[in-house]
């Protein structure tokens, strides 16, 4: 069913040492949407994403990916994530780094070329990782997350620290993945960094999802009319 949610959170709460990082969040990310999770540092975005990836167990509530409950300490089937940069080796090329990861993860070598193409790094694939700009390093991280052809891609602040052109390239890449029918959940502390590529936005403040809806709902109809639609 096209309307099946790709990711669902039911009343999810997470506390660390009695302090709330996330409070009672209900959230649905529909298949094929690009969902931007926006909020200031410490709002709880990373904790939400880590719970989607099975890296953190909710204190209460539950998380489903692709209709299946997420169990702790296990990456859900069909999900790829860039939460922390993989341990890329500086003196190896981008392609060599991805080939190594593909071997470790038991993914076929053809996925390396496909992923490099998706993140627009084929022309720099034979350059050493240490010569890459931060934006290229982040795109290689996205390529690593795409190796297993995930239906759901989770990206934690992929534009953080990038120069404006790097942010634009990341935004274009995420928009392209959305058009290729990958469901994307992407966090950012700046709505401006993700609004060009997102179909839906959730605003996180103090561990709560305080607003959630289509980009038009969140930005207001007038503002949306002024900009080109990211999805045609
Ligand atoms: P940032 O952009 O800074 O990563 P964020 O919105 O992603 O912010 P989280 O990293 O989810 O926010 O953090 C939410 C709150 O939970 C913060 O107060 C943080 O200190 C706390 N927190 C997160 N992870 C842990 C942990 N493993 N142990 C203790 N406290 C934690």
């Amino acid at each position: 069913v096209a309307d099946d949610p790709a990711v669902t959170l039911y009343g999810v709460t997470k506390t660390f040492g009695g302090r709330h990082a996330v409070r009672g969040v209900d959230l649905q990310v529909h298949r094929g949407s690009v969902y931007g999770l926006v909020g200031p540092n410490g709002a709880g975005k990373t904790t939400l994403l880590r719970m989607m990836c099975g890296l953190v167990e909710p204190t209460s509530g539950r998380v489903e990916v692709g209709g299946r409950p997420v169990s702790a300490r296990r990456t859900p089937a069909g999900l790829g994530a860039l939460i922390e940069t993989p341990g890329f080796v500086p003196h190896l090329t981008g392609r060599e780094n991805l080939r190594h990861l593909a071997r470790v993860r038991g993914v076929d070598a053809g996925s390396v070329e496909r992923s490099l193409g998706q993140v627009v790094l084929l022309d720099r694939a034979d350059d050493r990782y240490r010569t890459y700009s931060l934006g290229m390093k982040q795109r290689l991280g996205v390529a690593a997350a795409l190796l297993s052809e995930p239906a759901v891609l989770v990206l934690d602040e992929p534009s953080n620290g990038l120069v404006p052109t790097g942010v634009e390239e990341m935004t274009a890449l995420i928009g392209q993945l959305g058009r290729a029918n990958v469901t994307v959940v992407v966090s950012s502390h700046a709505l401006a960094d993700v609004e060009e590529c997102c179909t839906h936005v959730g605003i996180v403040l103090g561990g709560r999802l305080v607003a959630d809806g289509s980009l038009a709902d969140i930005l207001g109809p007038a503002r949306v009319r002024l900009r080109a639609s990211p999805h045609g």
Side-chain angles (χ1 to χ4, degrees), residues 18 57 91 114 136 156 163 177 226:
E57 206 175 349
H91 67 268
R114 190 200 64 246
M136 292 167 67
D156 192 14
V163 297
L177 291 169
L226 292 173

Side-chain angles (χ1 to χ4, degrees), residues 14-216:
K14 180 67 191 179
T15 58
F16 292 105
R19 281 196 62 212
H20 280 84
V22 169
R23 298 168 186 262
V25 169
D26 292 297
L27 184 159
Q28 283 203 344
V29 179
H30 290 281
R31 277 186 216 282
S33 60
V34 176
Y35 189 102
L37 209 49
V38 177
N41 289 343
K45 307 180 297 294
T46 302
T47 303
L48 284 166
L49 297 187
R50 291 176 72 89
M51 289 192 286
M52 293 175 192
C53 300
L55 295 167
V56 163
E57 206 175 349
T59 306
S60 60
R62 65 180 211 282
V63 182
E64 290 182 0
V65 170
R68 296 204 199 101
V70 173
S71 46
R73 315 276 164 238
R74 229 178 131 192
T75 306
L79 181 141
L82 177 61
I83 302 271
E84 276 136 25
T85 311
F88 291 127
V89 182
H91 67 268
L92 294 182
T93 67
R95 180 176 276 121
E96 287 166 344
N97 268 293
L98 281 193
R99 282 192 177 158
H100 175 69
L101 274 182
R103 266 196 305 277
V104 169
R105 297 184 194 169
V107 173
D108 74 280
S111 314
V112 170
E113 300 309 308
R114 190 200 64 246
S115 301
L116 284 168
Q118 280 176 295
V119 303
V120 203
L121 273 179
L122 276 172
D123 61 332
R124 295 290 304 273
D126 290 326
D127 294 349
R128 290 174 195 270
Y129 178 76
R130 65 159 182 255
T131 68
Y132 283 9
S133 67
L134 186 58
M136 292 167 67
K137 288 177 176 170
Q138 285 292 73
R139 298 216 303 283
L140 195 69
V142 175
L146 288 169
L147 280 175
S148 58
E149 281 192 85
V152 179
L153 180 68
V154 172
L155 305 173
D156 192 14
E157 302 225 30
S159 295
N160 207 10
L162 302 189
V163 297
T165 55
V167 175
E168 277 168 35
E169 284 162 357
M170 183 58 71
T171 303
L173 163 58
I174 293 168
Q176 187 59 44
L177 291 169
R179 286 187 291 275
N181 233 14
V182 178
T183 304
V184 184
V185 184
V186 54
S187 71
S188 178
H189 56 264
L191 181 58
D193 284 357
V194 293
E195 65 175 287
E196 290 297 328
C197 61
C198 289
T199 58
H200 294 77
V201 172
I203 309 289
V204 186
L205 284 176
R208 294 183 200 277
L209 190 68
V210 298
D212 174 49
S214 71
L215 192 66

